[in-house]
């Protein structure tokens, strides 16, 4: 039996999660909810996804645009085993009451505070804890990237202390109303909120993060400095370990990937699916071990990194796979992510 999934909020994250759900062998998409007609709503119709009215959505507005409406968000919730809420940040918290009243399970995104759900989720870090949970929050793009990396570093080399500077993209590519378009903007919330968010998954991790926003839409980059407890002999050990872990992609020097422009071009050249980069991206040349200090850069594709995590969260909540590795293997095969 396939788990029936509804997606409420069909923007950057929601449309990707919907496309990912329809590719899974053990899930079916019962519909998506949108507030207003848009090119994305048109694509949803073209792909055969039933559209339901979310929030303030008006049926005549959709119908005048030639987009059929299958019902209301309440009707969509009634058809679903689980709702993936991908509404704008803080709206998920408002929607939570609806899901609770309907007795339906729900997944929220990282724009919500952690108390929106019973747990914060990352497949590599805590898949097993999501079994039987009725509400789960998939952490934000940056927190997902850091939690994946911590899932490798913490068990293998231990962490005395982790410092990460997050070089944040200013906007998603389709957001024409955000900036800066020229400038480097420090985040004066010191340390930044990302460290505490990582601790919703690794409560004992000593981590401090800072952030600056830069005028690009092509990924975030994390500059990591980890003081390890049990350092490996050299950087090659670290590179090999990351390479053998699902959801990491490591570029070799001969590939001439100098930064995020080439990473996203590599993603556009992938043979199937969306031109997305759902893995943490590392560079061999960007990993260094110096005594007990580990340095590494990683790039995070903000629009897509959480997509496989949403799929694994569904599988974990319904016990559809025996463990994290099995779930990630199914997800990755369905989404065309190379799996080591
Ligand atoms: P988005 O603005 O691209 O999409 C949100 C969609 O929800 C829009 O289509 C909007 O019209 C719709 N919406 C508005 N009100 C609604 C309501 N009441 N009910 C249902 N839908 C409603 O936003 P996004 O970037 O996809 O972000 C969604 C969530 O994912 C946020 O919590 C965000 O923090 C998180 N997130 C975003 C990114 C990213 O980089 N874009 C990365 C990771 C996590």
């Amino acid at each position: 039996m396939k788990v029936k999934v509804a997606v409420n909020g069909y923007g950057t994250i929601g449309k990707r999660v919907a496309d990912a759900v329809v590719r899974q062998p053990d899930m079916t998409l019962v519909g998506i909810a949108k507030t207003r007609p848009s090119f994305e709503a048109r694509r949803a119709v073209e792909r055969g996804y039933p559209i339901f009215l979310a929030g303030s959505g008006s049926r005549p507005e959709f119908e005048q645009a030639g987009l059929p409406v299958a019902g209301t968000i309440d009707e969509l919730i009634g058809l679903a085993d689980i709702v993936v809420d991908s509404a704008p940040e803080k709206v998920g918290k408002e929607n939570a009451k609806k899901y609770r009243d309907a007795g339906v399970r729900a997944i929220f995104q990282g724009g919500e505070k952690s108390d929106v759900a019973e747990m914060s989720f990352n497949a590599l870090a805590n898949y097993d804890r999501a079994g039987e949970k009725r509400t789960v929050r998939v952490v934000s793009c940056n927190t997902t990237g850091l939690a994946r990396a911590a899932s490798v570093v913490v068990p293998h080399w231990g962490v005395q202390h982790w410092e990460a500077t997050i070089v944040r993209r200013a906007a998603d590519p389709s957001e024409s109303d955000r900036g800066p378009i020229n400038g480097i903007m420090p985040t004066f919330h010191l340390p930044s909120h990302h460290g505490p968010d990582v601790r919703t998954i690794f409560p004992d991790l000593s981590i401090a993060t800072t952030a600056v926003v830069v005028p690009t839409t092509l990924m975030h980059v994390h500059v990591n400095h980890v003081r390890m407890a049990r350092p490996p002999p050299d950087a090659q050990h670290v590179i090999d370990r990351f390479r053998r872990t699902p959801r990491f992609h490591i570029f070799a020097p001969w590939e001439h990937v100098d930064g995020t422009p080439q990473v996203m071009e590599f993603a556009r050249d992938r043979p199937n699916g969306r031109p997305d980069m759902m893995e943490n991206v590392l560079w061999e040349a960007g990993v260094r071990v110096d005594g007990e200090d580990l340095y590494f850069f990683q790039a995070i594709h903000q629009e897509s990194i959480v997509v496989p995590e949403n799929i694994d969260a569904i599988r974990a909540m319904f016990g559809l796979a025996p463990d994290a590795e099995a779930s990630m293997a199914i997800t990755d095969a369905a989404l065309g992510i190379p799996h080591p």
Side-chain angles (χ1 to χ4, degrees), residues 244-260:
R244 288 201 298 272
T245 307
R247 312 264 162 94
F248 286 87
H249 186 95
I250 324 289
F251 283 108
W254 59 262
E255 293 181 272
H256 300 289
V257 173
D258 299 329
T260 59

Side-chain angles (χ1 to χ4, degrees), residues 16-17 19-20 30 48 62 64 107 123 161 166 172 204 206 212 220 223 239 271 313 323:
R16 286 176 168 79
V17 171
D19 285 352
V30 289
F62 277 89
Q64 274 161 23
I107 292 176
H161 185 64
I166 299 170
D172 289 341
D204 301 326
S206 173
V212 290
H220 305 291
V223 188
I239 292 164
D323 55 29

Side-chain angles (χ1 to χ4, degrees), residues 8-14 34-35 54-55 86-89 91 95 109-112 140-141 169 172 302-303 306:
N8 186 18
Y10 193 73
T12 305
I13 302 298
K34 263 205 82 50
T35 47
S86 32
E89 60 178 65
V91 178
N95 292 340
Q109 306 305 314
E112 306 305 319
S140 73
C141 47
R169 61 87 179 101
D172 289 341
Q302 72 279 357
E303 298 158 273
V306 298

Side-chain angles (χ1 to χ4, degrees), residues 157-163 225-229 292-295:
W157 309 299
V159 172
Q160 296 185 50
H161 185 64
W162 189 318
E163 295 276 348
H225 170 204
V226 186
R227 180 138 299 162
M228 297 174 287
E292 57 186 9
D293 292 325
L294 164 64
Y295 301 90

